[in-house]
């Protein structure tokens, strides 16, 4: 997600499908995931819980994102099957919850 200041925030524990890929179905999956995310957060106030790692190797910010009503955006994306769970040490606080949500979405 792009923040107001122009910085990129990635969802900790969530691996979204790419928007650019050689395989058309993967691109469609990426576009659907992006649309789902936009529907959840676009023009809404968010709250970010920072994990132990503040940035990834690409220097993007990493965080657990919540809406004002308490909706846990990272988890909702996984529950909807719009991304894969990918928790990386040391940010494993929600790993079990994320893995279970992703597994349930595949059923």
């Amino acid at each position: 997600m792009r923040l107001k200041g122009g910085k990129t925030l990635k969802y900790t524990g969530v691996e979204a499908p790419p928007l650019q890929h050689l395989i058309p179905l993967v691109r469609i999956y990426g576009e659907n995931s992006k649309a789902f995310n936009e529907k959840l957060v676009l023009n809404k106030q968010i709250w970010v819980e920072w994990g132990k790692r503040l940035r990834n190797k690409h220097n993007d910010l990493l965080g657990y994102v919540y809406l004002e009503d308490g909706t846990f955006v990272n988890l909702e994306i996984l529950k909807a099957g719009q991304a894969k769970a990918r928790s990386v040490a040391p940010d494993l606080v929600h790993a079990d919850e994320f893995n279970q949500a992703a597994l349930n979405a595949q059923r």
Side-chain angles (χ1 to χ4, degrees):
M1 108 174 24
R2 184 82 50 199
L3 300 175
K4 278 188 179 178
K7 295 186 189 250
T8 300
L9 173 69
K10 300 279 186 174
Y11 297 110
T12 301
V14 176
E15 183 179 357
L19 292 171
Q20 297 177 3
H21 199 276
L22 293 174
I23 301 171
L25 285 176
V26 175
R27 284 195 308 268
I28 292 169
Y29 181 34
E31 291 164 6
N32 290 342
S33 179
K34 181 181 177 189
F36 182 86
N37 179 59
E38 287 176 347
K39 186 176 177 182
L40 270 176
V41 301
L42 190 62
N43 297 321
K44 294 184 181 170
Q45 195 75 17
I46 63 165
W47 177 72
V48 180
E49 175 188 343
W50 303 108
K52 293 183 180 185
R53 289 185 318 140
L54 187 59
R55 296 183 181 273
N56 65 12
K57 64 183 177 184
H58 304 292
N59 209 31
D60 299 316
L61 293 167
L62 296 170
Y64 301 104
V65 177
Y66 297 85
L67 299 179
E68 286 183 297
D69 66 4
T71 301
F72 189 9
V73 177
N74 304 50
L75 186 60
E76 291 303 311
I77 290 169
L78 294 168
K79 282 182 180 178
Q82 296 298 326
K84 295 178 183 177
R86 186 168 189 275
S87 295
V88 178
D91 293 311
L92 302 174
V93 175
H94 298 286
D96 291 340
E97 187 178 17
F98 287 176
N99 289 333
Q100 190 61 51
L103 182 64
N104 290 342
Q106 291 175 2
R107 294 182 181 162

